[in-house]
Amino acid sequence: MELAYYSDYAVRLVNSEEPARGKDSLTSVEAVRDLFGGNSSAARRATDADVTRFRSVRGRLRAVFEAADGGNETLAVDLLNSLLLEFPVSPQISGHDYRDDDGRPLWHMHLADHPSNATAGYAAIAAMGLAFHLTEYGVDRLGLCEASPCRNAFLDTSTNRSRRYCSDRCATRANVAAYRARKRLEADRSDSTGLAAPATQRTTATGDR
């Protein structure tokens, strides 16, 4: 598995809630299992008790993104380190599911978790994936969408570190909002200028008399 795959665990969990919109999709054990994606064996370990535990981990992961987005690099690392200590993993070489043209395993690194519950397993993979991404690309690659009120988490993989939005949809919405705001400002300035001209003329005429 690629490291981007593991870091996506963190993004999926954080984005299961949209605080500014008052939305939270993490309300059932089925929602917890959906977060595992194709990892069906791990998903089957989830129980109703994991809903509350997942929400707790989600808040801690969002705090990492918030610290990174706010430029507080040390806090972001400290928060992530606390998760790594609490939810450890073991790296292993794996060849399952991937074969070359001759049918031989394509060996790759795999993060093996040893969880007491589904939350511990998910948190371990999410934290390790995020840690790999942070150390490989930098803290400033962890972002929160600038399109209000979204604030979804994302991982910036752009070549020039320029990503500001979690999706094309949010980028388009923000650009349209900015365009409309400019048009309103131009209209306000035009109206203001139109009102000022007659006043100036009246003042000049009075002075002539």
Side-chain angles (χ1 to χ4, degrees):
M1 293 182 183
E2 297 180 355
L3 298 186
Y5 176 89
Y6 288 120
S7 56
D8 192 53
Y9 269 59
V11 174
R12 288 204 302 271
L13 178 53
V14 171
N15 292 345
S16 66
E17 180 185 27
E18 297 180 72
R21 291 190 173 111
K23 294 182 178 180
D24 187 350
S25 63
L26 195 55
T27 58
S28 65
V29 66
E30 288 76 17
V32 168
R33 289 169 179 160
D34 287 344
L35 289 170
F36 284 91
N39 195 345
S40 57
S41 59
R44 283 194 292 270
R45 292 198 297 260
T47 67
D48 290 330
D50 283 299
V51 176
T52 300
R53 289 193 288 254
F54 261 69
R55 286 179 170 179
S56 176
V57 172
R58 179 179 65 188
R60 294 170 67 182
L61 286 170
R62 175 169 281 278
V64 174
F65 278 92
E66 289 175 341
D69 187 68
N72 196 334
E73 184 171 343
T74 301
L75 177 59
V77 170
D78 287 345
L79 292 171
L80 191 49
N81 272 336
S82 69
L83 284 164
L84 291 170
L85 287 171
E86 186 174 345
F87 303 106
V89 295
S90 301
Q92 293 181 350
I93 299 173
S94 175
H96 66 83
D97 298 334
Y98 300 96
R99 299 282 174 173
D100 62 17
D101 293 338
D102 296 324
R104 295 174 301 183
L106 293 175
W107 302 112
H108 57 280
M109 291 304 298
H110 178 80
L111 298 183
D113 58 277
H114 308 286
S116 56
N117 53 65
T119 304
Y122 193 101
I125 293 174
M128 183 60 75
L130 207 55
F132 276 133
H133 196 95
L134 185 152
T135 53
E136 180 71 18
Y137 302 108
V139 176
D140 57 343
R141 293 290 189 151
L142 277 60
L144 292 174
C145 186
E146 293 184 15
S148 179
C150 179
R151 303 301 284 167
N152 272 352
F154 66 84
L155 300 171
D156 186 359
T157 56
S158 63
T159 55
N160 57 357
R161 299 172 183 263
S162 61
R163 185 171 177 182
R164 299 166 55 199
Y165 307 105
C166 68
S167 65
D168 290 340
R169 179 182 179 184
C170 276
T172 299
R173 188 171 69 245
N175 289 334
V176 169
Y179 172 79
R180 289 175 176 170
R182 287 196 302 272
K183 287 299 181 182
R184 284 195 299 268
L185 181 59
E186 291 172 3
D188 291 344
R189 286 175 176 173
S190 177
D191 291 343
S192 177
T193 302
L195 291 172
T200 302
Q201 291 172 1
R202 286 195 299 271
T203 301
T204 303
T206 303
D208 288 343
R209 289 199 299 268

